[in-house]
Amino acid sequence: MRPSPTVVADELDARLTAVAERLPGCTVGVSVYDYLSGCEWNFNGDRWFHAASVIKVPVMVALFEAIDQGSYALNSRLAVRNRFLSAADGEPFRVDPARDADGQVHAATGRTMRLRELAERMIVRSSNLATNLLIGLLGVDAIRGALNRLAVNGVELARGVEDDRAFEQGVINRMTPNGAVALLRAIVGAESISPESSTRMLNILFNQQFSGTIAPGLPDKVRQAARVAHKTGDISTASHDAGVVFLPGRPPYLVAIFVENGGESRVRAEAGAAASAAVYECVAAAGESVLR
Amino acid sequence: MTIDTAALPVVDAMDLTPQHRALLRPGELMASRSGECHRLPRFFYVVESSAVAAETQLTPHFSLWEFLEVDLYEPALLRAYPRYIPCAISVLANALESLRAALPGPVKIAANGGYRSPSHIGSRSGSPHSWASAANIFRVGSEYLDTEERIVKYGEIARRTLADCWTRPYGHGLGQADDHLHLDLGYVTVVPRQYSEAGR
């Protein structure tokens, strides 16, 4: 019997409810879009989460849109300076190197780096310094404008990262799982993004150095054949992963898995991987119904 | 190979293309933040390539390139070779060489912290950086100048060592610095021998 999209949605809902119930205190949000079946599903898809480092994806998208528009070149150089103004009070703050997963950009303080290098470090090593430099270059309002032009809803960029005073005042970068998938759809195929920029962004996402939860949740044999272009986001209360999953012999599917709790990151990682497993099975089932 | 500044060609910027003149504004009066007016430099060294910039030693410890590193906030035309830098750069480099002798380690100038044209987006009106008579030092030896203690300490040494040197006070506001030591020698202009300042 071929599963209908509705049956798949019900199955996914049941599986993700079970994941959430098994891990008390966890809130799970998932959004999926499958290019093979054309189906989209979500679980808490419109719930707002602290975006953590997934917020770096819209910064990359806005950068490449600006490059496509001729505002900058990928090889343009930007001065590396660790000094930013807080969205809370306009006073300066710095990105603490000890809290930044990437040391390479800090090591370039006082010199310049190319925009393509900063974009790569921002995604691949989740460099907070590179992120704030690029936000400073593009501007928060311009990034929001790019998201509006791309019709991406569910993403709210309010400030740079590591802006503790703004955080304390409740100014946070937020995202919904559906917003994350809308971003990924823009990367893969938005009309206003050139094919070259789309390919470059996917290649950066492919080079991700943090494992996240999407790939670990795939069955072993599938994981060995899969290529996942993704961005993780980890803070003390959230573990997210959003990416494009390429499997042999079929078009890709997009998935965003957001997990929040007040506890251990290990628990969130388990929940995220379980959600990824459930998503894969449902996507595979829906795909079978198309291919038969 | 080391190139001496004496080997660098000099140009009267009044002879450059209209596009270059519009960005460099040679000889124009420019008001500083406090209202005084100063005439922008007119005579520039011509730097034909990045190799020339890297190989030209202004002093034993300062190459020309260190004063030329700017980012995309400098107009693209002025980032393309040949590039132009006011002849006063030699005066600044010699001052920094003297300062270096009084310091415990190499002096590092920040990107955008050497010469910036008056069209650089990060240049405020009347900044001595547009005269090539100012430097932003972000590191001395292994010490980053990003604390009040270090900025005050090295600022005092600079003022003691260099005549007519001004340093920006530590602070977060306008006219202050908190992540580098800004020093300048005022509005220095250099007119090489055999060049006339007569109007065009």
Side-chain angles (χ1 to χ4, degrees), chain B residues 160-175:
Chain B
R160 207 167 52 232
T161 308
L162 305 174
D164 300 322
C165 169
W166 182 81
T167 62
R168 191 163 284 194
Y170 174 84
H172 307 312
L174 206 62

Side-chain angles (χ1 to χ4, degrees), chain A residues 12-75:
Chain A
L12 185 61
D13 206 64
R15 293 279 305 269
L16 295 174
T17 301
V19 168
E21 285 175 356
R22 207 164 55 236
L23 300 162
C26 270
T27 302
V28 178
V30 173
S31 181
V32 187
Y33 176 75
D34 180 21
Y35 280 100
L36 175 58
S37 64
C39 295
E40 45 194 309
W41 306 280
N42 73 82
F43 180 82
N44 287 330
D46 287 322
R47 183 190 185 276
W48 287 101
F49 289 78
H50 187 304
S53 286
V54 182
I55 202 64
K56 293 163 186 174
V57 178
V59 179
M60 175 178 70
V61 170
L63 173 67
F64 277 86
E65 197 218 29
I67 288 168
D68 281 343
Q69 291 173 349
S71 302
Y72 311 108
L74 264 180
N75 279 332

Side-chain angles (χ1 to χ4, degrees), chain A residues 72 76-79 81-83 91-92 94 106-107 109-112 115 136-137, chain B residues 69-73 79 109-112 138-139 144 146-147 171-172 178-180:
Chain A
Y72 311 108
S76 296
R77 289 185 168 278
L78 186 63
R81 186 178 180 190
N82 189 356
R83 185 184 192 277
E91 290 295 305
R94 291 183 184 140
H106 286 273
T109 298
R111 305 200 302 270
T112 59
L115 295 184
L137 172 69
Chain B
E69 188 175 11
V70 287
D71 67 5
L72 50 71
Y73 289 116
R79 283 183 274 132
I109 299 161
N112 293 332
F138 76 97
R139 189 154 61 89
Y144 283 86
D146 57 3
T147 65
H172 307 312
D178 56 19
D179 67 345
H180 64 271

